[in-house]
Amino acid sequence: MATDRDDVLRAAQRVLNADPAAPMSAVAEAAGISRATLHRHVDSRESLLVELGTRSLDRWERRLDDVDVEALAAEAAPASLRASLETLVLGYVDDSDAFGFALTDQVILANAELVERTQALAGREAVLFAAAQRAGVLRTDLPLRWLGHAVYGLLVAAREAVRIGDVARRDVGHLVLSSLLTGVGTP
């Protein structure tokens, strides 16, 4: 049974990752509370999604901070860039367990504040991608912003493949990294 707002939000994350279209009644049931109690924690489904979207962006920001994107990009050491890129992407894969639904939820993707913050975080991420391109870690023939979209697309694919059972969770990090760094064609 959920005892506080964080418990309710964690229950909502679990429910929405399993079924992104789940109704508020399913969220309340998973939290072990009534719908009335749920609505004391969140005004509406939209406000719940915006709050979870904010938490998802908080996690993204922490991942970028943890690898110290700006300092790493300034250092420009290929081995460090590759290792940090791998750490970052594997962290994103882990985060998709908690926030995967946020990658495709239309309420989250349409919220102006979240969109603005997403663009700022994508800009920080692009600093790392640009440094990795200059260092020969990532292909230079691809547009910089495409790299971010490629990671995003792989995360959506990974989340769905795990959710529907096509890929084991333990394998998804390697699949995302190898698809990003070496592609899907034969070497």
Side-chain angles (χ1 to χ4, degrees), residues 20-79:
M24 293 293 277
S25 59
V27 171
E29 183 179 327
I33 58 177
S34 68
R35 281 194 65 171
T37 301
L38 175 61
H39 284 288
R40 281 189 218 116
H41 288 284
V42 292
D43 295 340
S44 64
R45 180 180 176 81
E46 183 173 333
S47 66
L48 170 67
L49 290 167
V50 169
E51 185 162 351
L52 293 174
T54 299
R55 286 175 169 229
S56 173
L57 295 179
D58 291 346
R59 181 79 60 93
W60 184 10
E61 185 170 25
R62 278 194 307 275
R63 292 285 182 194
L64 294 170
D65 290 344
D66 288 348
V67 297
D68 199 0
V69 169
E70 292 79 10
L72 183 64
E75 179 186 320

Side-chain angles (χ1 to χ4, degrees), residues 1 9 13-14 28 60 62 82 97 112 120 123 132-133 137 143 162 165-166 171-172:
M1 172 154 55
L9 294 172
Q13 285 174 232
R14 285 191 308 276
W60 184 10
R62 278 194 307 275
R82 183 177 177 104
D97 285 341
Q133 283 182 316
V137 173
V162 169
D166 286 344
D171 297 334
V172 77

Side-chain angles (χ1 to χ4, degrees), residues 18-155:
D19 178 6
M24 293 293 277
S25 59
V27 171
E29 183 179 327
I33 58 177
S34 68
R35 281 194 65 171
T37 301
L38 175 61
H39 284 288
R40 281 189 218 116
H41 288 284
V42 292
D43 295 340
S44 64
R45 180 180 176 81
E46 183 173 333
S47 66
L48 170 67
L49 290 167
V50 169
E51 185 162 351
L52 293 174
T54 299
R55 286 175 169 229
S56 173
L57 295 179
D58 291 346
R59 181 79 60 93
W60 184 10
E61 185 170 25
R62 278 194 307 275
R63 292 285 182 194
L64 294 170
D65 290 344
D66 288 348
V67 297
D68 199 0
V69 169
E70 292 79 10
L72 183 64
E75 179 186 320
S80 295
L81 285 164
R82 183 177 177 104
S84 293
L85 183 61
E86 290 177 5
T87 298
L88 188 64
V89 171
L90 288 174
Y92 291 167
V93 170
D94 288 344
D95 294 342
S96 71
D97 285 341
F99 294 105
F101 67 90
L103 294 167
T104 56
D105 182 83
Q106 292 307 304
V107 170
I108 293 170
L109 296 175
N111 180 279
E113 289 177 26
L114 297 180
V115 168
E116 184 178 332
R117 187 165 174 214
T118 296
Q119 291 304 315
L121 292 170
R124 287 189 65 202
E125 190 179 69
V127 168
L128 175 63
F129 295 151
Q133 283 182 316
R134 287 189 302 274
V137 173
L138 295 175
R139 290 174 40 188
T140 58
D141 62 321
L142 298 174
L144 184 60
R145 286 295 201 175
W146 174 252
L147 298 171
H149 289 291
V151 170
Y152 172 82
L154 288 167
L155 291 171

